[in-house]
Amino acid sequence: MSSRIPLPYNPKVLELFKNPKNLGKMEDADALAVAGSIACGDMIAIYLKIDKNSQKIIKASFESYGCAANIAASSILTEIIKDKTLEEAWQISWKRISDELGGLPAVKYHCGILAVGALRRAIRAYFKDKPKPNWLPEELTQDEKHALEEEKLIEILSRKIERIKENY
């Protein structure tokens, strides 16, 4: 029996965890990106199919290797960005992801941050070999930096856990 205390997930998170929407790899994606770290298990791959003329996201899917919050955040993100232009999708924040889920436990905020980080990386990847629109900043945004910080923290914590395991 586990001595861990269950996290207080709301029903929306649990529903999307049990029945995620848009789950799976997209073979014909126009853009894809990954955020997170496989070392700790919270990793998101996001795939976008984009209408080249309107720059609307016509299809989005994800693969997630993580907890209930990670899967729910990825699932709701793919629902929110469908039929949005890339510029509209760029404006989505991790806070909105959390709000759409009815809130995430504070220790799971990083799941929304990683979902938005993967989305923004995918949008940047889409424009890698194309003229960049005026709305796409050259420098990383605060949300993108936050995703990088989360990834670094995950790696540091994973290494510490491995060292502790090696000593026991």
Side-chain angles (χ1 to χ4, degrees), residues 86-148:
L86 292 171
E87 183 177 7
E88 291 166 339
W90 181 266
Q91 302 302 320
I92 294 169
S93 69
W94 72 267
K95 180 76 169 90
R96 177 164 177 205
I97 299 299
S98 179
D99 290 347
E100 293 279 341
L101 290 170
L104 287 170
V107 296
K108 294 297 180 180
Y109 286 166
H110 70 278
C111 295
I113 292 166
L114 293 176
V116 170
L119 170 64
R120 290 191 178 188
R121 285 179 187 165
I123 291 171
R124 284 194 186 274
Y126 179 75
F127 287 109
K128 184 177 179 185
D129 300 324
K130 298 174 180 64
K132 291 185 179 50
N134 291 338
W135 55 263
L136 186 63
E138 290 291 327
E139 302 292 323
L140 294 179
T141 63
Q142 191 61 38
D143 282 345
E144 291 173 286
K145 290 176 184 175
H146 204 166
L148 286 172

Side-chain angles (χ1 to χ4, degrees), residues 30-44:
D30 295 310
L32 67 102
V34 174
S37 170
I38 197 71
C40 85
D42 280 331
M43 193 172 102
I44 298 167

Side-chain angles (χ1 to χ4, degrees), residues 9 11-12 36 42 47 55 62 66 72 78 82 85 90 94 97 105 119 121 134 144 146-147 159 164 167-168:
Y9 290 123
K12 180 88 173 188
D42 280 331
Y47 304 88
Q55 293 192 343
F62 73 97
T78 58
K82 267 193 228 172
T85 65
W90 181 266
W94 72 267
I97 299 299
L119 170 64
R121 285 179 187 165
N134 291 338
E144 291 173 286
H146 204 166
R159 277 187 252 135
I164 290 170
N167 293 327
Y168 284 98

Side-chain angles (χ1 to χ4, degrees), residues 66-77:
C67 63
N70 187 297
I71 292 168
S74 302
S75 180
I76 199 84
L77 175 74

Side-chain angles (χ1 to χ4, degrees), residues 44-56:
I44 298 167
I46 190 157
Y47 304 88
L48 304 176
K49 187 71 181 166
I50 300 163
D51 179 272
K52 290 169 180 48
N53 293 324
S54 66
Q55 293 192 343
K56 278 192 173 183

